[in-house]
Amino acid sequence: MTSIKQKPGLTLTATAAGALQKLPDFRNPGIALRILLLVNLLMLLSAAVQNTSLSATLSHFTEQSAFGQPALLLSLLVLYLAYPWLLRLRYSLAMLLAGGSAMLVVTLLYLAGTQILGMDALPPLTRIWLLSLSACLITAYYLHLRYRAMSPAMAEARLQALQARIRPHFLFNSLNAVLSLVRSQPQRAEAALEDMAELFRVLMADNRELVPLAQEISLCRQYLALEKLRLDERLLVTWQMDTMPPDAMVPPLVLQPLLENAVYHGIEPLSEGGEIIIKIYTVHNDVHLLLSNPLAPEQNRTSGNKMALANIRERLALHFDVAATLSSSVRDGRYEVHIVLPYQRHRHG
């Protein structure tokens, strides 16, 4: 079971949740790195246009960097500090203020350089304004195009195809398990049907927004309760969550598909069953989700496993850019999946 909708490593503004535009997460290291590289590339192109030789181009670029790099770094610092406030605004207004703050930093830095430090070699302020405005507009357009490119209709269709492949397997097994309880344990069967209804409600919902980790854990427990109906004592589950931050925001259905893989690939093929271990903990400002299951003999099931992992990895990148990672390994006869993502708390209002 995998999410249909996606969201990039950009964050919705509070008043424009349904809009196509997304405010770049100026606190995300991946976004900051892309802005740094793009602006430096623009400065290098500007130097190349104004010079005919490589040495002159590099010399001009170095001169530009003496002013451009401090201005760029200070602008990123201002955007980092102002980001929570910008989130409360409409996308257009937030981006306008972000560009305006960068222009203000450039102006103040120019005045400090010419009036206080006596940097007479700087070009006219109007020229610096023009170059800075051009860099702001190009950067904003690039970030918008990147968002649009990372959530196209083809990507949604690929996730829907993956979802359609996995859903019948789970639905068939769960219905059979519930049917076996209808006469002997009607109350348990009713509870199982309620769990199924909740699972499919979440599955078919618009899952572009991050959700609290506690909500994802609750969903996983419902899923495991359904699998326990048919696997009974063959399925053992150990939760290690003493330091779990329940308010950490995670992509919906980021852990449940891993549990489905663990059951399908690790527990079902073993006649004696096995144990799934879920560890959730924090280190510094990162949340770690570690899931392990027995390593069963290969039974031509690796394709679905790889597809699900690739999907989760893609959604982590869309939400957190380079700040989140997913890795898998085999250790001590067990298959492990390790997710690391930044500890983001729920933002109110």
Side-chain angles (χ1 to χ4, degrees):
M1 293 170 59
T2 328
S3 173
I4 298 175
K5 300 292 185 179
Q6 309 176 44
K7 163 187 162 185
L10 312 171
T11 306
L12 278 165
T13 56
T15 58
L20 289 177
Q21 297 92 343
K22 301 292 190 296
L23 181 66
D25 184 352
F26 295 116
R27 293 192 168 187
N28 188 293
I31 297 295
L33 180 60
R34 286 182 172 85
I35 294 175
L36 280 170
L37 292 176
L38 179 59
V39 174
N40 275 279
L41 178 60
L42 292 174
M43 288 196 298
L44 183 59
L45 289 175
S46 173
V49 169
Q50 300 177 58
N51 297 276
T52 57
S53 65
L54 178 60
S55 59
T57 297
L58 294 178
S59 176
H60 193 173
F61 173 72
T62 303
E63 293 175 0
Q64 286 183 328
S65 297
F67 176 83
Q69 300 301 338
L72 177 57
L73 293 174
L74 284 175
S75 297
L76 288 174
L77 177 61
V78 170
L79 292 176
Y80 179 91
L81 297 174
Y83 176 65
W85 181 71
L86 292 174
L87 276 177
R88 304 174 185 175
L89 308 176
R90 296 193 313 273
Y91 170 82
S92 56
L93 179 57
M95 290 301 289
L96 181 63
L97 290 177
S101 64
M103 295 295 294
L104 179 61
V105 168
V106 167
T107 302
L108 294 177
L109 197 61
Y110 180 90
L111 294 176
T114 55
Q115 303 299 324
I116 300 176
L117 302 178
M119 300 173 64
D120 299 329
L122 290 176
L125 181 58
T126 53
R127 181 179 172 186
I128 291 182
W129 276 343
L130 179 60
L131 293 174
S132 301
L133 180 60
S134 300
C136 289
L137 292 175
I138 292 174
T139 301
Y141 186 61
Y142 160 76
L143 292 174
H144 176 67
L145 285 182
R146 178 177 176 272
Y147 160 60
R148 296 291 298 272
M150 292 189 72
S151 56
M154 287 185 64
E156 300 242 343
R158 185 172 67 251
L159 299 188
Q160 289 177 9
L162 173 63
Q163 181 187 35
R165 193 194 71 80
I166 294 178
R167 188 189 304 160
H169 160 80
F170 172 74
L171 180 60
F172 177 79
N173 289 334
S174 297
L175 285 176
N176 277 343
V178 172
L179 286 174
S180 67
L181 297 174
V182 168
R183 293 185 177 180
S184 60
Q185 302 181 56
Q187 291 184 341
R188 191 178 179 189
E190 181 181 355
L193 288 174
E194 291 175 351
D195 287 339
M196 285 185 64
E198 178 63 17
L199 281 170
F200 282 96
R201 182 193 67 80
V202 174
L203 176 67
M204 293 183 291
D206 184 349
N207 286 315
R208 285 176 289 186
E209 294 294 331
L210 297 174
V211 299
L213 180 56
Q215 180 175 321
E216 177 72 6
I217 296 302
S218 176
L219 188 73
C220 290
R221 291 187 183 278
Q222 290 176 310
Y223 164 74
L224 290 171
L226 288 169
E227 294 288 29
K228 189 74 173 176
L229 289 178
R230 64 186 185 90
L231 296 174
D232 198 17
E233 295 181 356
R234 291 176 59 205
L235 174 61
L236 300 176
V237 181
T238 299
W239 294 88
Q240 299 178 4
M241 306 185 299
D242 292 342
T243 61
M244 182 194 83
D247 59 343
M249 303 302 287
V250 301
L253 298 168
V254 70
L255 185 58
Q256 187 278 331
L258 297 179
L259 287 172
E260 185 164 350
N261 276 344
V263 171
Y264 184 56
H265 296 275
I267 305 300
E268 287 187 4
L270 300 176
S271 58
E272 72 279 10
E275 181 183 25
I276 297 175
I277 301 176
I278 305 104
K279 299 179 182 179
I280 304 178
Y281 57 95
T282 56
V283 176
H284 302 302
N285 204 36
D286 290 328
V287 179
H288 292 250
L289 310 176
L290 182 63
L291 186 147
S292 71
N293 58 265
L295 188 62
E298 289 297 330
Q299 297 186 356
N300 297 322
R301 298 182 173 189
T302 57
S303 177
N305 189 25
K306 291 179 180 178
M307 290 175 65
L309 290 178
N311 168 244
I312 295 172
R313 186 178 286 108
E314 180 181 12
R315 288 194 290 127
L316 287 171
L318 292 174
H319 282 283
F320 301 110
D321 205 277
V322 298
T325 61
L326 182 150
S327 60
S328 60
S329 61
V330 176
R331 183 177 304 176
D332 298 329
R334 296 180 64 85
Y335 182 75
E336 292 187 353
V337 178
H338 189 185
I339 294 176
V340 182
L341 46 83
Y343 182 8
Q344 293 185 3
R345 296 173 176 84
H346 177 63
R347 296 187 180 96
H348 298 280

Short mmCIF file of all heavy atoms in Angstrom, two decimals, residues 25 27-29 80 210-214 243-251 280-289 320 323-324 339-347:
data_model
loop_
_atom_site.label_atom_id
_atom_site.label_comp_id
_atom_site.label_asym_id
_atom_site.label_seq_id
_atom_site.Cartn_x
_atom_site.Cartn_y
_atom_site.Cartn_z
N ASP A 25 11.71 25.54 0.91
CA ASP A 25 12.12 25.40 2.32
C ASP A 25 13.53 25.97 2.45
O ASP A 25 14.52 25.28 2.23
CB ASP A 25 12.08 23.92 2.72
CG ASP A 25 12.40 23.73 4.19
OD1 ASP A 25 12.78 24.72 4.86
OD2 ASP A 25 12.28 22.59 4.69
N ARG A 27 15.22 26.48 4.87
CA ARG A 27 16.02 25.85 5.92
C ARG A 27 16.52 24.47 5.52
O ARG A 27 17.20 23.81 6.31
CB ARG A 27 15.19 25.76 7.21
CG ARG A 27 14.88 27.12 7.81
CD ARG A 27 14.33 27.02 9.21
NE ARG A 27 14.32 28.33 9.85
CZ ARG A 27 14.01 28.55 11.13
NH1 ARG A 27 13.68 27.52 11.89
NH2 ARG A 27 14.04 29.76 11.64
N ASN A 28 16.18 24.05 4.32
CA ASN A 28 16.63 22.76 3.83
C ASN A 28 18.01 22.91 3.19
O ASN A 28 18.21 23.77 2.32
CB ASN A 28 15.64 22.22 2.79
CG ASN A 28 15.94 20.80 2.37
OD1 ASN A 28 16.96 20.54 1.74
ND2 ASN A 28 15.06 19.89 2.70
N PRO A 29 19.00 22.11 3.61
CA PRO A 29 20.35 22.26 3.06
C PRO A 29 20.42 22.02 1.56
O PRO A 29 21.24 22.63 0.86
CB PRO A 29 21.18 21.23 3.83
CG PRO A 29 20.19 20.26 4.39
CD PRO A 29 18.95 21.06 4.65
N TYR A 80 16.72 32.05 5.97
CA TYR A 80 16.66 30.97 6.97
C TYR A 80 15.91 31.45 8.21
O TYR A 80 15.04 30.74 8.75
CB TYR A 80 18.07 30.53 7.34
CG TYR A 80 18.13 29.43 8.37
CD1 TYR A 80 18.15 28.09 8.00
CD2 TYR A 80 18.15 29.74 9.73
CE1 TYR A 80 18.20 27.09 8.94
CE2 TYR A 80 18.20 28.74 10.69
CZ TYR A 80 18.23 27.42 10.30
OH TYR A 80 18.26 26.43 11.25
N LEU A 210 2.43 16.29 5.17
CA LEU A 210 3.09 15.51 6.21
C LEU A 210 2.10 15.25 7.35
O LEU A 210 1.18 16.04 7.58
CB LEU A 210 4.31 16.26 6.74
CG LEU A 210 5.44 16.53 5.75
CD1 LEU A 210 6.52 17.41 6.39
CD2 LEU A 210 6.06 15.24 5.26
N VAL A 211 2.31 14.16 8.06
CA VAL A 211 1.44 13.80 9.18
C VAL A 211 2.31 13.52 10.41
O VAL A 211 3.49 13.18 10.28
CB VAL A 211 0.57 12.56 8.86
CG1 VAL A 211 -0.32 12.84 7.67
CG2 VAL A 211 1.45 11.34 8.61
N PRO A 212 1.75 13.64 11.62
CA PRO A 212 2.52 13.29 12.82
C PRO A 212 2.93 11.82 12.81
O PRO A 212 2.17 10.96 12.37
CB PRO A 212 1.55 13.60 13.97
CG PRO A 212 0.57 14.57 13.40
CD PRO A 212 0.43 14.20 11.95
N LEU A 213 4.10 11.54 13.33
CA LEU A 213 4.60 10.17 13.38
C LEU A 213 3.66 9.27 14.17
O LEU A 213 3.47 8.10 13.83
CB LEU A 213 6.01 10.16 13.99
CG LEU A 213 6.70 8.80 14.13
CD1 LEU A 213 6.77 8.08 12.79
CD2 LEU A 213 8.10 8.98 14.73
N ALA A 214 3.05 9.80 15.23
CA ALA A 214 2.11 9.00 16.03
C ALA A 214 0.95 8.51 15.18
O ALA A 214 0.45 7.40 15.38
CB ALA A 214 1.59 9.83 17.20
N THR A 243 12.23 6.59 22.81
CA THR A 243 12.60 7.98 22.53
C THR A 243 11.95 8.50 21.26
O THR A 243 12.44 9.45 20.64
CB THR A 243 14.13 8.12 22.42
OG1 THR A 243 14.60 7.30 21.31
CG2 THR A 243 14.82 7.68 23.70
N MET A 244 10.85 7.88 20.85
CA MET A 244 10.17 8.32 19.64
C MET A 244 9.51 9.69 19.84
O MET A 244 8.80 9.89 20.82
CB MET A 244 9.09 7.32 19.24
CG MET A 244 8.36 7.68 17.96
SD MET A 244 6.83 6.76 17.68
CE MET A 244 5.67 7.71 18.67
N PRO A 245 9.73 10.65 18.94
CA PRO A 245 9.03 11.94 19.02
C PRO A 245 7.68 11.85 18.31
O PRO A 245 7.63 11.84 17.07
CB PRO A 245 9.98 12.89 18.29
CG PRO A 245 10.70 12.02 17.30
CD PRO A 245 10.75 10.64 17.88
N PRO A 246 6.57 11.75 19.03
CA PRO A 246 5.27 11.53 18.37
C PRO A 246 4.85 12.69 17.48
O PRO A 246 4.02 12.51 16.58
CB PRO A 246 4.30 11.35 19.54
CG PRO A 246 4.97 12.01 20.70
CD PRO A 246 6.43 11.83 20.50
N ASP A 247 5.41 13.89 17.72
CA ASP A 247 5.00 15.06 16.94
C ASP A 247 5.86 15.28 15.70
O ASP A 247 5.65 16.24 14.96
CB ASP A 247 5.04 16.32 17.81
CG ASP A 247 6.44 16.59 18.36
OD1 ASP A 247 7.28 15.66 18.36
OD2 ASP A 247 6.68 17.72 18.81
N ALA A 248 6.83 14.40 15.45
CA ALA A 248 7.66 14.54 14.25
C ALA A 248 6.80 14.35 13.01
O ALA A 248 5.98 13.44 12.95
CB ALA A 248 8.80 13.53 14.28
N MET A 249 6.99 15.21 12.02
CA MET A 249 6.19 15.16 10.80
C MET A 249 6.86 14.27 9.76
O MET A 249 8.05 14.43 9.46
CB MET A 249 5.98 16.57 10.24
CG MET A 249 5.34 17.53 11.23
SD MET A 249 3.73 16.96 11.82
CE MET A 249 2.73 17.24 10.36
N VAL A 250 6.11 13.30 9.24
CA VAL A 250 6.65 12.34 8.27
C VAL A 250 5.69 12.24 7.09
O VAL A 250 4.50 12.57 7.21
CB VAL A 250 6.83 10.95 8.91
CG1 VAL A 250 7.78 11.03 10.11
CG2 VAL A 250 5.49 10.36 9.33
N PRO A 251 6.17 11.75 5.94
CA PRO A 251 5.25 11.52 4.82
C PRO A 251 4.25 10.42 5.17
O PRO A 251 4.61 9.43 5.81
CB PRO A 251 6.18 11.07 3.68
CG PRO A 251 7.53 11.58 4.06
CD PRO A 251 7.57 11.53 5.56
N ILE A 280 12.43 3.21 16.61
CA ILE A 280 12.24 4.62 16.27
C ILE A 280 12.89 5.45 17.37
O ILE A 280 12.54 5.32 18.54
CB ILE A 280 10.76 4.98 16.13
CG1 ILE A 280 10.08 4.06 15.10
CG2 ILE A 280 10.60 6.44 15.72
CD1 ILE A 280 8.60 4.30 14.94
N TYR A 281 13.84 6.30 16.98
CA TYR A 281 14.58 7.08 17.96
C TYR A 281 15.11 8.35 17.31
O TYR A 281 15.05 8.52 16.08
CB TYR A 281 15.75 6.26 18.54
CG TYR A 281 16.72 5.73 17.51
CD1 TYR A 281 17.88 6.44 17.20
CD2 TYR A 281 16.49 4.53 16.84
CE1 TYR A 281 18.78 5.95 16.25
CE2 TYR A 281 17.37 4.04 15.89
CZ TYR A 281 18.52 4.76 15.61
OH TYR A 281 19.40 4.29 14.67
N THR A 282 15.60 9.25 18.14
CA THR A 282 16.16 10.51 17.64
C THR A 282 17.64 10.58 17.99
O THR A 282 18.08 10.12 19.06
CB THR A 282 15.45 11.72 18.26
OG1 THR A 282 15.51 11.63 19.69
CG2 THR A 282 13.99 11.76 17.84
N VAL A 283 18.40 11.16 17.09
CA VAL A 283 19.82 11.47 17.31
C VAL A 283 20.02 12.91 16.87
O VAL A 283 19.82 13.23 15.69
CB VAL A 283 20.74 10.52 16.54
CG1 VAL A 283 22.20 10.95 16.72
CG2 VAL A 283 20.55 9.08 16.99
N HIS A 284 20.39 13.76 17.82
CA HIS A 284 20.51 15.19 17.55
C HIS A 284 19.16 15.69 17.03
O HIS A 284 18.16 15.62 17.71
CB HIS A 284 21.65 15.47 16.58
CG HIS A 284 22.98 14.97 17.08
ND1 HIS A 284 23.52 15.39 18.27
CD2 HIS A 284 23.86 14.07 16.57
CE1 HIS A 284 24.68 14.78 18.47
NE2 HIS A 284 24.90 13.97 17.45
N ASN A 285 19.09 16.17 15.80
CA ASN A 285 17.84 16.71 15.26
C ASN A 285 17.31 15.84 14.12
O ASN A 285 16.58 16.32 13.26
CB ASN A 285 18.04 18.14 14.76
CG ASN A 285 16.74 18.92 14.74
OD1 ASN A 285 15.88 18.75 15.60
ND2 ASN A 285 16.57 19.77 13.73
N ASP A 286 17.65 14.55 14.15
CA ASP A 286 17.19 13.61 13.13
C ASP A 286 16.35 12.52 13.77
O ASP A 286 16.63 12.07 14.88
CB ASP A 286 18.36 12.97 12.39
CG ASP A 286 19.08 13.95 11.49
OD1 ASP A 286 18.42 14.86 10.96
OD2 ASP A 286 20.31 13.83 11.32
N VAL A 287 15.34 12.09 13.04
CA VAL A 287 14.49 10.96 13.45
C VAL A 287 14.92 9.73 12.66
O VAL A 287 15.05 9.80 11.43
CB VAL A 287 13.00 11.25 13.20
CG1 VAL A 287 12.14 10.07 13.63
CG2 VAL A 287 12.58 12.51 13.94
N HIS A 288 15.15 8.63 13.35
CA HIS A 288 15.59 7.38 12.72
C HIS A 288 14.46 6.36 12.80
O HIS A 288 13.92 6.11 13.88
CB HIS A 288 16.84 6.83 13.42
CG HIS A 288 18.06 7.67 13.22
ND1 HIS A 288 19.13 7.27 12.45
CD2 HIS A 288 18.37 8.90 13.71
CE1 HIS A 288 20.06 8.21 12.47
NE2 HIS A 288 19.62 9.20 13.22
N LEU A 289 14.13 5.78 11.65
CA LEU A 289 13.16 4.69 11.58
C LEU A 289 13.91 3.47 11.06
O LEU A 289 14.38 3.45 9.92
CB LEU A 289 12.02 5.03 10.62
CG LEU A 289 11.32 6.38 10.81
CD1 LEU A 289 10.28 6.61 9.72
CD2 LEU A 289 10.66 6.45 12.18
N PHE A 320 11.85 16.23 1.74
CA PHE A 320 12.98 16.71 2.53
C PHE A 320 14.25 16.95 1.73
O PHE A 320 15.27 17.31 2.31
CB PHE A 320 13.29 15.69 3.64
CG PHE A 320 12.14 15.44 4.58
CD1 PHE A 320 11.47 14.23 4.58
CD2 PHE A 320 11.71 16.44 5.45
CE1 PHE A 320 10.40 14.00 5.43
CE2 PHE A 320 10.65 16.21 6.32
CZ PHE A 320 9.99 14.99 6.31
N ALA A 323 18.02 16.18 2.89
CA ALA A 323 18.05 16.06 4.34
C ALA A 323 17.56 14.70 4.84
O ALA A 323 17.74 14.37 6.01
CB ALA A 323 17.23 17.17 4.99
N ALA A 324 16.92 13.91 3.97
CA ALA A 324 16.42 12.59 4.35
C ALA A 324 17.09 11.51 3.50
O ALA A 324 17.42 11.74 2.33
CB ALA A 324 14.91 12.52 4.17
N ILE A 339 15.64 4.57 7.68
CA ILE A 339 15.24 5.90 7.19
C ILE A 339 15.71 6.95 8.20
O ILE A 339 15.51 6.79 9.40
CB ILE A 339 13.71 5.99 7.02
CG1 ILE A 339 13.25 5.06 5.90
CG2 ILE A 339 13.28 7.42 6.72
CD1 ILE A 339 11.75 5.02 5.74
N VAL A 340 16.33 7.99 7.70
CA VAL A 340 16.73 9.13 8.53
C VAL A 340 16.10 10.38 7.91
O VAL A 340 16.26 10.64 6.71
CB VAL A 340 18.26 9.29 8.58
CG1 VAL A 340 18.63 10.46 9.50
CG2 VAL A 340 18.92 8.01 9.06
N LEU A 341 15.38 11.13 8.72
CA LEU A 341 14.76 12.36 8.23
C LEU A 341 14.83 13.44 9.31
O LEU A 341 14.94 13.13 10.49
CB LEU A 341 13.32 12.11 7.78
CG LEU A 341 12.38 11.30 8.68
CD1 LEU A 341 11.77 12.16 9.76
CD2 LEU A 341 11.29 10.65 7.86
N PRO A 342 14.79 14.69 8.91
CA PRO A 342 14.90 15.78 9.89
C PRO A 342 13.70 15.82 10.81
O PRO A 342 12.56 15.53 10.39
CB PRO A 342 15.02 17.04 9.03
CG PRO A 342 14.41 16.65 7.72
CD PRO A 342 14.71 15.20 7.53
N TYR A 343 13.94 16.20 12.05
CA TYR A 343 12.88 16.29 13.04
C TYR A 343 12.16 17.63 12.84
O TYR A 343 12.58 18.65 13.32
CB TYR A 343 13.47 16.19 14.45
CG TYR A 343 12.46 16.22 15.57
CD1 TYR A 343 11.09 16.17 15.33
CD2 TYR A 343 12.88 16.30 16.90
CE1 TYR A 343 10.17 16.20 16.37
CE2 TYR A 343 11.97 16.32 17.95
CZ TYR A 343 10.62 16.27 17.67
OH TYR A 343 9.71 16.29 18.70
N GLN A 344 11.05 17.57 12.13
CA GLN A 344 10.20 18.74 11.93
C GLN A 344 8.94 18.57 12.74
O GLN A 344 8.21 17.60 12.57
CB GLN A 344 9.86 18.92 10.44
CG GLN A 344 11.04 19.26 9.56
CD GLN A 344 10.62 19.55 8.13
OE1 GLN A 344 9.42 19.55 7.80
NE2 GLN A 344 11.58 19.81 7.26
N ARG A 345 8.68 19.55 13.59
CA ARG A 345 7.46 19.51 14.38
C ARG A 345 6.31 20.13 13.61
O ARG A 345 6.52 20.89 12.68
CB ARG A 345 7.66 20.24 15.72
CG ARG A 345 8.67 19.60 16.63
CD ARG A 345 8.94 20.46 17.86
NE ARG A 345 9.84 19.83 18.80
CZ ARG A 345 11.15 19.88 18.71
NH1 ARG A 345 11.72 20.52 17.70
NH2 ARG A 345 11.91 19.29 19.61
N HIS A 346 5.10 19.79 14.05
CA HIS A 346 3.91 20.32 13.39
C HIS A 346 3.87 21.83 13.60
O HIS A 346 4.06 22.33 14.71
CB HIS A 346 2.65 19.68 13.97
CG HIS A 346 1.38 20.24 13.41
ND1 HIS A 346 1.05 20.11 12.08
CD2 HIS A 346 0.36 20.93 13.99
CE1 HIS A 346 -0.11 20.69 11.86
NE2 HIS A 346 -0.54 21.19 13.00
N ARG A 347 3.61 22.54 12.50
CA ARG A 347 3.48 24.01 12.57
C ARG A 347 2.01 24.37 12.61
O ARG A 347 1.25 23.97 11.74
CB ARG A 347 4.13 24.67 11.34
CG ARG A 347 5.63 24.45 11.25
CD ARG A 347 6.19 25.30 10.11
NE ARG A 347 7.63 25.11 10.01
CZ ARG A 347 8.21 24.26 9.18
NH1 ARG A 347 7.47 23.52 8.38
NH2 ARG A 347 9.52 24.14 9.12
#
